Amino acid sequence: MPANCKVNEEKKLQFAEFRTLLRQPLLAVSIIAVLLLLIVFVCYPMLRIIKLACTNDLNEITFVNIINIFKSRTYLKTCINSIKLAVTVSILSTIIGYIFAFAINRTEVPGRAFFNTIIQLPIISPPFILALAIIFLFGRQGIITNGLLGIKGNNVYGFKSLVFIQVISFFPVAYLTLTGILASIDTSVEDAAMNIGASRWYVFWTVTFPLSMPGVISAVLLTFVQSLEDFSNPAVIGGNYTTLSTEAYRTITGMYDFHSGAALAVVLLAPTITAFLLQRYWLKKKSFVTITGKTTSQTRKIHGKNTIPFFIFCTFISAVFLLLYGTVFVGAFAKTWGIDYTLGITHFIYAWKYAKEALQKSLLLSLIAAPLTGLLGIYIAYLTIRKQFPGKRFMQISSLLTFAIPGTVLGIGYVSAFNTGFIVLTGTPYILLAAFMFRNISVAIESGVSTLLQIDKSIGEASTILGASNATTFRRITLPLLKSPFFTGIVFSFVRSMTAVSTVIFLTSPKWPLATSKVYGLFDISKYSDAAALVVYMIVIILLAIGIIKFLVSWILKPRVHKL
């Protein structure tokens, strides 16, 4: 087709889309509203960061701030530290996550349900809990170093502890990424190889592993981004091992240098955005389809004595989890860790008095942000999959961009964007709600898109033909069918809001303190048992809230028969 004809066809299509929107004013208004929200709360803060990084105090354009980062030995070392940590953690997390996912999905190892449950503990727990456990076990008064081995004054801070904590924290993300693809691989391909005499080991390296490469690449990139953007663990247990996220925080809050802090944020943003785009590009270009719709033989899983190594591996990892979480739980009750292990509730009483208001406000804001995030995410997924409109591509990219933006960068962007100007939100709960929503919206969108692609369009079209409006069709037909991703989006948003650190460390105020900032404050003054008690409070609140949210979502979206 000639270029001119192609351009004309595109213009006709765009004009047809525009006319369709004019006939549905409510839909048009909602699309404009969503686009404005994305521009204000995603694009504008990022542009503000770039502007800060590329200007000086006189508002003159300059690249000195970014150049100085690569000239300064301190900043350059910080950049290298961050990349080194992220690469190490991503590789180790993916290896452990792959073995665990393979054991759960491709073998008949006993206790799979238990292993699958316990591995998700880091996902629903505050980020400080593992750092607390390491201090309790291996610190100066550690029960292992000081109590069992008699090592006095052990230095638990630094690179090795960071790697251990981040691997334990982030390999469940790799596991969840890999478990889906390993479970969906059609085993008839493996069976065919084994039927002609290939060994299990040969089949794994020539068939199973190559087919699971999309999951491996995704897991590596996801854990790389998670490690790079992590603030809480490096801030608490990094010691002299500085990272970009902690250095940006120190530069802004300690030196009051927003321009250099923004430059560090831009440097931090570059590899995370690159990793995110590489992941999207890889999954888009590669095809690893093995599900054809044809009937296949039953999965031939590894069984018998061959499952023993996998059982030992899963048991060891689960034991590490139980040790770490159990230590924090006991530490919250111990009178003085390392000296007097008498159990009591003194730390719980202190933690409640110290952080009662912060816990209440964290819970309130999280409960408000969670359903709003779930609804907005599902609606964006619905618009991008089911509707054609100008600006659709922009909506798709900008709505998922926050997944790749480190929390520290987003927090700096919000401080810069909403401290002055046409929207002033600094010091109010609204800036926290906006940060919670747009930081966590990508999961609701992705899960909604995946589900919508499996729902036949004719279901919604039938409703429209019978006279229902777009709003009614979405509320009474589409939304109930999206109950699972809606619940996923709400729960993920609630948990991430309750446990957020890097995003909100710049946004909290005396009037609106958050529980995580209070935990961080207790770390600063070395009140570790009080911090442990506060973390236990947070875990209990999160678990109770997840149960209540699950019940409410099931009840609200329960299909009902409407009498004529």
Side-chain angles (χ1 to χ4, degrees), residues 134-157:
I134 293 299
I135 292 171
F136 282 152
L137 290 171
F138 303 104
R140 291 180 176 87
Q141 297 295 329
I143 195 171
I144 292 178
T145 50
N146 188 35
L148 296 179
L149 302 178
I151 301 173
K152 304 293 183 180
N154 182 56
N155 183 15
V156 75
Y157 304 94

Side-chain angles (χ1 to χ4, degrees), residues 239-516:
N240 294 326
Y241 194 88
T242 56
T243 62
L244 283 168
S245 57
T246 55
E247 190 65 19
Y249 175 75
R250 186 190 67 82
T251 301
I252 291 175
T253 59
M255 300 169 62
Y256 301 101
D257 188 349
F258 259 89
H259 294 285
S260 297
L264 284 167
V266 170
V267 173
L268 178 59
L269 186 63
T272 57
I273 291 290
T274 303
F276 175 73
L277 294 176
L278 281 172
Q279 181 209 17
R280 309 293 295 185
Y281 175 81
W282 176 273
L283 295 180
K284 184 178 179 181
K285 295 295 182 183
K286 299 293 181 181
S287 177
F288 296 81
V289 176
T290 64
I291 300 176
T292 61
K294 300 177 181 179
T295 58
T296 59
S297 59
Q298 189 176 3
T299 302
R300 186 189 294 184
K301 293 185 176 181
I302 297 173
H303 59 278
K305 293 182 180 180
N306 292 327
T307 63
I308 293 176
F310 293 102
F311 179 75
I312 293 172
F313 177 82
C314 293
T315 302
F316 174 75
I317 296 295
S318 300
V320 171
F321 272 72
L322 291 174
L323 174 64
L324 295 173
Y325 282 85
T327 298
V328 173
F329 186 76
V330 174
F333 287 94
K335 186 175 181 180
T336 306
W337 189 265
I339 300 174
D340 185 355
Y341 291 101
T342 305
L343 301 182
I345 59 171
T346 306
H347 301 299
F348 285 93
I349 295 171
Y350 175 83
W352 181 254
K353 290 179 180 178
Y354 170 75
K356 178 183 177 181
E357 183 187 6
L359 280 169
Q360 291 173 341
K361 290 188 173 178
S362 291
L363 180 60
L364 175 64
L365 291 173
S366 300
L367 288 174
I368 294 172
L372 292 176
T373 305
L375 282 171
L376 183 59
I378 290 297
Y379 191 58
I380 289 175
Y382 170 75
L383 290 175
T384 54
I385 295 299
R386 289 286 189 261
K387 301 297 178 182
Q388 296 294 330
F389 55 89
K392 177 179 175 178
R393 187 63 179 163
F394 170 80
M395 183 182 290
Q396 288 175 319
I397 296 172
S398 59
S399 61
L400 293 176
L401 190 62
T402 53
F403 180 79
I405 297 173
T408 308
V409 177
L410 193 67
I412 295 171
Y414 272 41
V415 169
S416 173
F418 305 120
N419 194 40
T420 57
F422 65 98
I423 301 179
V424 179
L425 299 177
T426 303
T428 70
Y430 305 110
I431 194 170
L432 295 169
L433 283 174
F436 289 158
M437 286 178 61
F438 292 95
R439 174 73 174 131
N440 304 321
I441 198 171
S442 57
V443 170
I445 295 172
E446 286 284 78
S447 55
V449 166
S450 300
T451 306
L452 278 168
L453 290 173
Q454 300 175 37
I455 299 174
D456 196 333
K457 292 182 180 180
S458 61
I459 299 174
E461 291 170 353
S463 172
T464 306
I465 291 170
L466 291 172
S469 64
N470 281 306
T472 302
T473 301
F474 176 77
R475 178 173 55 86
R476 291 175 59 176
I477 294 178
T478 307
L479 194 55
L481 291 172
L482 294 170
K483 181 169 69 174
S484 178
F486 182 54
F487 172 71
T488 300
I490 288 180
V491 168
F492 180 84
S493 174
F494 175 80
V495 172
R496 290 292 294 269
S497 299
M498 280 291 296
T499 60
V501 181
S502 57
T503 308
V504 299
I505 199 72
F506 297 99
L507 307 180
T508 54
S509 63
K511 289 185 178 180
W512 286 92
L514 296 178
T516 49

